[in-house]
């Protein structure tokens, strides 16, 4: 069955890398990958991806600046149950509030705050940049077939802030960087990764492939 995946362009994402990764994962299927800043195109999509790089406040302002997009996301994801994937700052925007430089409200889909990483090991630098394995708190369909844990596949991170989640049941996986940092959050039809699946090679391609067939 054909489907459309909308990757939202709001001026704050690795759009070409994301598009390439999704097209690779969708190869051989009849999925259409659309990079779009048009709210009506997102309204017609079967799956929605929100990428993001940069500062929380700038990204939230960029998203709010796209006519009708905030309203369509609420309609599709919260009210309509459309499968949703947030990536990096696109995941962080799911939080209630971001505390990067200034306090900025988020979408509020995952109760929590985005705060600066504070490794217990003083030799670890911030930003956290590089490859880490994932420690999974609970199974999830998007992780099916992906080897996790200490000897598992690695995901690529580059960030200075992470989400402190109020309901720990919504933390699907963490990574270790001088203590646990939130790597994946999710509930219902909402899934978010702090790492970049589009840059995470084998792990990322498998996760995207799982997202394309996920039926929450």
């Amino acid at each position: 069955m054909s489907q459309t995946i909308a990757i939202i362009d709001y001026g704050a994402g690795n759009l070409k890398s994301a598009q390439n990764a999704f097209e690779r994962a969708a190869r051989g299927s009849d999925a259409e990958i659309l990079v779009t800043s048009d709210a009506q195109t997102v309204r017609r999509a079967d799956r929605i991806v929100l990428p993001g790089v940069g500062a929380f406040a700038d990204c939230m302002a960029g998203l709010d600046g796209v006519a009708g997009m905030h309203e369509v996301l609420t309609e599709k994801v919260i009210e309509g149950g459309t499968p949703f994937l947030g990536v990096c700052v696109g995941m962080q925007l799911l939080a209630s509030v971001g505390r990067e430089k200034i306090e900025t409200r988020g979408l509020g889909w995952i109760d929590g705050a985005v705060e600066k990483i504070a490794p217990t090991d003083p030799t670890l630098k911030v930003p956290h940049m590089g490859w880490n394995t994932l420690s999974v708190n609970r199974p999830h369909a998007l992780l099916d077939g992906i080897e996790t844990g200490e000897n598992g596949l690695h995901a690529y991170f580059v960030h200075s802030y992470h989400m402190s989640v109020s309901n720990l049941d919504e933390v699907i996986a963490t990574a270790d960087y001088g203590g646990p940092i939130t790597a994946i959050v999710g509930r219902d039809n909402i899934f978010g990764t702090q790492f970049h699946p589009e840059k995470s090679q084998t792990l990322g391609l498998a996760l995207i492939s799982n997202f394309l067939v996920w039926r929450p």
Side-chain angles (χ1 to χ4, degrees):
M1 186 170 64
S2 63
Q3 62 172 335
T4 300
I5 294 86
I7 301 174
I8 298 176
D9 176 6
Y10 61 109
N14 294 316
L15 297 174
K16 193 61 181 174
S17 294
Q19 182 179 17
N20 289 343
F22 272 81
E23 287 177 347
R24 184 179 174 193
R27 197 169 294 155
S29 74
D30 52 3
E32 183 179 15
I33 313 300
L34 299 176
V35 175
T36 182
S37 58
D38 178 62
Q40 297 309 313
T41 300
V42 175
R43 177 174 275 123
R44 293 189 295 268
D46 301 294
R47 300 175 191 274
I48 298 171
V49 181
L50 184 67
V53 293
F56 186 103
D58 293 341
C59 289
M60 197 68 221
L63 186 62
D64 283 340
V66 180
M69 190 63 76
H70 197 149
E71 293 78 10
V72 165
L73 283 174
T74 299
E75 173 192 320
K76 290 284 289 183
V77 180
I78 300 303
E79 298 169 5
T82 301
F84 172 92
L85 173 63
V87 174
C88 197
V89 182
M91 174 200 113
Q92 293 181 1
L93 295 182
L94 305 180
S96 309
V97 64
R99 296 187 175 130
E100 184 173 356
K101 299 178 183 175
I102 61 171
E103 190 158 295
T104 307
R105 65 162 183 80
L107 291 169
W109 296 355
I110 299 285
D111 188 26
V114 175
E115 300 174 331
K116 193 161 188 177
I117 301 167
T120 56
D121 182 348
T123 66
L124 294 175
K125 296 180 180 180
V126 176
H128 167 220
M129 185 181 300
W131 297 86
N132 288 81
T133 56
L134 303 176
S135 177
V136 175
N137 294 345
R138 63 180 177 87
H140 194 282
L142 266 67
L143 296 175
D144 284 354
I146 297 175
E147 188 176 356
T148 56
E150 188 175 347
N151 298 313
L153 296 172
H154 287 70
Y156 182 74
F157 291 81
V158 52
H159 62 123
S160 299
Y161 290 77
H162 80 127
M163 195 187 297
S164 177
V165 180
S166 300
N167 180 358
L168 294 182
D169 288 341
E170 296 178 346
V171 179
I172 294 169
T174 60
D176 180 46
Y177 195 70
I181 57 172
T182 302
I184 302 175
V185 299
R187 65 174 180 85
D188 306 323
N189 56 304
I190 298 167
F191 192 91
T193 66
Q194 180 61 67
F195 57 89
H196 287 271
E198 75 279 9
K199 296 184 177 180
S200 296
Q201 299 179 0
T202 302
L203 183 152
L205 193 62
L207 188 147
I208 293 169
S209 297
N210 286 340
F211 176 71
L212 293 177
V213 297
W214 181 35
R215 299 194 180 280

